[in-house]
């Protein structure tokens, strides 16, 4: 039996003026709490001395109540564990008597009646699909955690956990300054981003960066061009801001800017992944970049550039950011450490045009004040001491190998069914399905055999012409990749 500590005892209300004796009130309270499931079998209860002190009453009624509860079998003593709720209370008596009324106030014929939420919330999809649940090979957005330099990382965490004073207090909503300096330097060198540390806003990942950008830049019902297909997380971020999303198609040159100008109606902003389009993997061509920047200047529109995994390019020269080409401070550049480090770190950043810094800072502050200082400090050292650059270099080689294994396994085992696109960069590729095959159905079958294959159709705002699977290869070794494709084959 698991022992549960006594630290969280629900509040005990005693009526000192009541005619019911104090010990009676206390034993009643414990009995009810045990039967309602608020106190669970094996859970420690406070010592009579501590409870009397806490309730500011004499110890006598507490001792009497405990004696009564022992006699009735509600409490037991265990050597070394003190007094606990008895383990032998039958399960069925432990069901909370009033759970129903708490969780679903109006139920008809067993079906909870839907309760009103905001229109924005009703438009959101809960991310509970099985293919998102850390399942087998091909998880999207999962890096090679088996190659993460855990030794170095834990040393740095340890180093800073020992000097907690500076890391345990409230921090700047924009982020820890040395970390922002390190990010600005890194982005300048590697991504040709033009900024200084004052423009770096540290976030809990790019999802928060997108959400903050949407809230700062857009009023409800204002239009934003979205890549079609595009990143579902961006759909969610713009939905929560109440924006109206205009799907603009993506072709071999990336976002079809001329299409947007002709047919996309005026918009206040555009969301774009120019270095590595999510999910199709194309790169926004130089012509389209210039068209997009010029459209933004002429329309007073914002460009939200999501540069989520551009560290990993396998062929050709690295592609500079759109932000670096912008001469009118129209680009809001969003980045993340989720791919290059690990997603649960929850650290990302936004490069904010200088005049918008106060607005971004205020919205960040309202969202969740600031990111964990401990991890910002640790990341600063990880970058400054050269571990970051080394890790990225190693991962680039590893992902190249994993990508080649996946492409080859698909060609050998499923070349007649899957058409690979977008395999030149990043940690995932798209495998298009034959026309007419339902990607959701394939993804569901894949989940049943332990393989995560995200349906491409989830990335569309309008129904897609052709389905596909998004297959991540960063987090699976070459054996797992081959085995994953063998399993996937059984789903057709
Ligand atoms: C296009 C895109 N942007 C951003 C992210 C990362 O989001 P976060 O930094 O919130 O983990 C992902 C992750 O899969 C992504 O695919």
């Amino acid at each position: 039996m698991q022992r549960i500590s006594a630290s969280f005892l629900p509040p005990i209300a005693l009526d000192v003026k009541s005619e019911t004796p104090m010990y009676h009130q206390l034993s009643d309270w414990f009995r009810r709490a045990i039967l309602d499931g608020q106190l669970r079998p094996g859970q420690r209860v406070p010592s009579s001395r501590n409870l009397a002190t806490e309730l500011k009453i004499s110890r006598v009624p507490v001792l009497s109540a405990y004696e009564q509860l022992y006699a009735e079998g509600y409490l037991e003593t265990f050597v070394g564990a003190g007094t606990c709720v008895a383990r032998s209370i039958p399960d069925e008596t432990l069901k909370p008597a009033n759970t129903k009324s708490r969780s679903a106030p109006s139920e008809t014929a067993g079906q909870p009646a839907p309760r009103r939420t905001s229109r924005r919330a009703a438009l959101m999809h809960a991310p509970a699909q099985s293919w998102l649940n850390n399942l087998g090979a091909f998880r999207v957005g999962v890096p090679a955690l088996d190659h993460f330099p855990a030794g170095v990382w834990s040393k740095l965490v340890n180093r800073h956990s020992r000097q907690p004073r500076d890391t345990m207090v409230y921090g700047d909503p924009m982020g820890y300054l040395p970390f922002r300096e390190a990010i600005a330097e890194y982005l300048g060198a590697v991504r040709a981003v033009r900024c200084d540390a004052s423009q770096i806003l540290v976030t809990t990942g790019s999802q928060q960066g997108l959400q903050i950008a949407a809230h700062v830049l857009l009023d409800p019902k204002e239009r934003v061009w979205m890549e079609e297909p595009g990143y579902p997380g961006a759909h969610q971020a713009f939905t929560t801001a109440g924006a109206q999303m205009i799907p603009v198609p993506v072709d071999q040159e990336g976002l079809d800017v001329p299409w947007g100008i002709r047919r996309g109606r005026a918009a206040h902003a555009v969301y774009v992944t120019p270095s590595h389009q999510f999910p199709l993997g194309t790169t926004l061509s130089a012509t389209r970049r210039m068209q997009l920047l010029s459209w933004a200047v002429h329309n007073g529109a914002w460009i939200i550039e999501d540069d989520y995994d551009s560290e990993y390019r396998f062929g050709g020269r690295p592609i500079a950011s759109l932000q670096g080409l912008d001469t009118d401070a129209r680009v809001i550049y969003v980045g993340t450490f989720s791919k290059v480090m690990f997603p649960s770190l929850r650290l990302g950043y936004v490069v904010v045009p200088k005049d918008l810094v106060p607005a971004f800072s205020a919205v960040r502050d309202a969202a969740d004040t600031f990111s964990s200082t401990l991890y910002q400090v640790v990341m600063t050292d990880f970058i400054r001491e050269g571990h970051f650059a080394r890790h990225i270099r190693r991962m680039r080689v590893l992902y190249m190998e994993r990508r080649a294994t996946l492409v080859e396994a698909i060609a050998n085992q499923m070349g007649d069914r899957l058409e690979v696109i977008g395999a030149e960069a990043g940690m995932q590729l798209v495998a298009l399905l034959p026309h007419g095959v339902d990607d959701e159905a394939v993804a569901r079958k894949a989940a049943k055999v332990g393989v995560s294959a995200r349906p491409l159709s989830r990335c569309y705002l309008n129904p897609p012409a052709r389905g596909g699977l998004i297959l991540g290869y960063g987090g699976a070794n070459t054996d797992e990749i081959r085995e994953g494709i063998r399993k996937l084959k059984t789903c057709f």
Side-chain angles (χ1 to χ4, degrees):
M1 163 80 48
Q2 196 193 348
R3 293 281 141 68
I4 302 155
S5 90
S7 39
F8 298 109
L9 198 65
I12 303 176
L14 296 176
D15 183 356
V16 282
K17 293 196 189 125
S18 164
E19 288 182 1
T20 311
M22 199 65 85
Y23 84 89
H24 212 303
Q25 291 188 46
L26 262 179
S27 53
D28 272 356
W29 184 91
F30 271 95
R31 238 179 259 114
R32 231 182 1 255
I34 292 169
L35 294 176
D36 282 359
Q38 288 178 299
L39 294 178
R40 282 170 292 152
Q43 178 166 350
R44 277 182 67 173
V45 298
S47 70
S48 55
R49 188 183 307 277
N50 283 350
L51 188 58
T53 311
E54 205 174 295
L55 297 175
K56 299 189 178 62
I57 57 175
S58 125
R59 206 174 149 206
V60 178
V62 181
L63 283 169
S64 308
Y66 277 13
E67 258 168 46
Q68 175 76 28
L69 291 161
Y70 279 126
E72 291 172 8
Y74 285 96
L75 296 183
E76 288 176 1
T77 40
F78 296 95
V79 181
T83 304
C84 303
V85 175
R87 291 173 298 176
S88 55
I89 302 195
D91 278 353
E92 58 274 18
T93 56
L94 295 176
K95 300 262 161 55
N98 50 358
T99 332
K100 248 187 183 175
S101 63
R102 270 193 221 136
S103 61
S106 49
E107 244 180 50
T108 40
Q111 282 293 315
R115 294 199 273 167
R116 206 196 91 79
T117 56
S118 73
R119 275 190 218 122
R120 287 180 210 174
L123 291 172
M124 314 278 287
H125 303 285
Q129 300 83 19
S130 53
W131 47 83
L132 292 182
N133 288 346
N134 292 339
L135 196 70
F138 313 140
R139 290 166 294 171
V140 176
V142 176
L145 300 175
D146 47 340
H147 288 257
F148 182 72
V152 171
W153 181 254
S154 62
K155 261 192 210 135
L156 295 178
V157 172
N158 201 13
R159 181 191 293 170
H160 292 288
S161 307
R162 282 167 189 276
Q163 301 145 4
R165 283 187 173 215
D166 296 341
T167 57
M168 284 187 172
V169 293
Y170 279 98
D172 184 338
M174 290 296 285
Y176 175 65
L177 187 58
F179 184 40
R180 294 160 63 202
E181 286 164 353
I183 294 172
E185 240 173 72
Y186 165 71
L187 293 177
V190 177
R191 309 289 310 122
V193 169
R194 289 188 296 180
C195 66
D196 60 51
S198 72
Q199 294 170 261
I200 305 287
L201 167 70
V202 177
T203 60
T204 53
S206 36
Q207 186 62 29
Q208 190 187 44
L210 297 177
Q211 198 154 15
I212 293 173
H215 278 85
V216 170
L217 305 175
L218 297 167
D219 278 317
K221 300 214 167 65
E222 287 190 338
R223 295 191 187 111
V224 54
W225 289 0
M226 300 302 295
E227 294 171 327
E228 174 84 331
Y231 178 48
H235 297 163
Q236 302 281 68
F238 290 102
T239 303
T240 60
Q244 194 191 331
M245 291 181 282
I246 311 286
V248 175
V250 171
D251 61 18
Q252 290 82 348
E253 284 190 68
L255 182 82
D256 192 341
V257 181
W259 189 101
I261 294 169
R262 272 197 322 275
R263 312 255 304 272
R265 292 176 284 167
H268 290 83
V270 52
Y271 166 82
V272 67
T273 47
S275 306
H276 184 222
Q277 203 275 332
F278 187 94
L280 297 183
T282 50
T283 305
L284 192 66
S285 69
T287 313
R288 295 264 174 96
R289 280 167 196 253
M290 297 325 290
Q291 286 170 338
L292 192 60
L293 286 165
S294 140
W295 167 81
V297 173
H298 285 114
N299 288 274
W302 303 105
I303 299 174
I304 299 159
E305 174 177 20
D306 182 356
D307 204 11
Y308 62 105
D309 71 354
S310 56
E311 286 82 359
Y312 300 131
R313 281 206 81 78
F314 310 125
R317 301 222 319 272
I319 295 180
S321 66
L322 195 56
Q323 196 270 6
L325 299 173
D326 173 23
T327 50
D328 203 52
R330 294 260 135 224
V331 176
I332 287 80
Y333 178 94
V334 180
T336 180
F337 288 101
S338 288
K339 316 282 165 162
V340 276
M341 294 295 289
F342 51 93
S344 71
L345 182 60
R346 302 317 300 145
L347 282 180
Y349 45 86
V350 180
V351 181
V352 181
K354 282 201 166 151
D355 55 325
L356 301 188
V357 166
F360 271 80
S361 172
V363 172
R364 171 64 167 104
D365 192 29
D368 67 343
T369 325
F370 68 103
S371 292
S372 158
T373 309
L374 174 63
Y375 288 115
Q376 295 186 65
V377 173
V378 170
M379 255 327 280
T380 309
D381 282 3
F382 195 79
I383 296 172
R384 291 274 183 232
E385 294 177 13
H387 309 296
F388 187 54
R390 201 171 312 121
H391 180 54
I392 292 177
R393 274 199 302 276
R394 283 205 197 116
M395 291 305 99
R396 203 174 281 140
V397 175
L398 188 75
Y399 295 150
M400 237 197 286
E401 183 190 306
R402 291 184 173 184
R403 171 196 66 138
T405 306
L406 177 56
V407 171
E408 191 187 289
I410 292 176
N412 290 345
Q413 298 188 51
M414 299 187 70
D416 53 336
R417 299 206 181 108
L418 298 181
E419 182 191 334
V420 171
I421 56 170
E424 284 73 45
M427 291 158 51
Q428 82 267 334
L429 53 76
V430 165
L432 290 176
L433 291 167
H435 285 279
V437 175
D438 175 4
D439 57 11
E440 294 261 357
V442 176
R444 267 195 300 276
K445 280 191 198 160
K448 284 205 179 111
V449 295
V451 168
S452 162
R454 230 192 256 186
L456 179 64
S457 56
R458 292 250 148 185
C459 298
Y460 281 83
L461 292 168
N462 290 327
R466 191 173 171 189
L469 303 173
I470 310 175
L471 303 177
Y473 48 79
N477 66 32
T478 48
D479 288 342
E480 287 163 345
I481 289 172
R482 288 192 197 100
E483 175 63 9
I485 289 298
R486 201 190 54 70
K487 284 184 177 167
L488 195 57
K489 199 172 169 183
T490 65
C491 301
F492 286 81

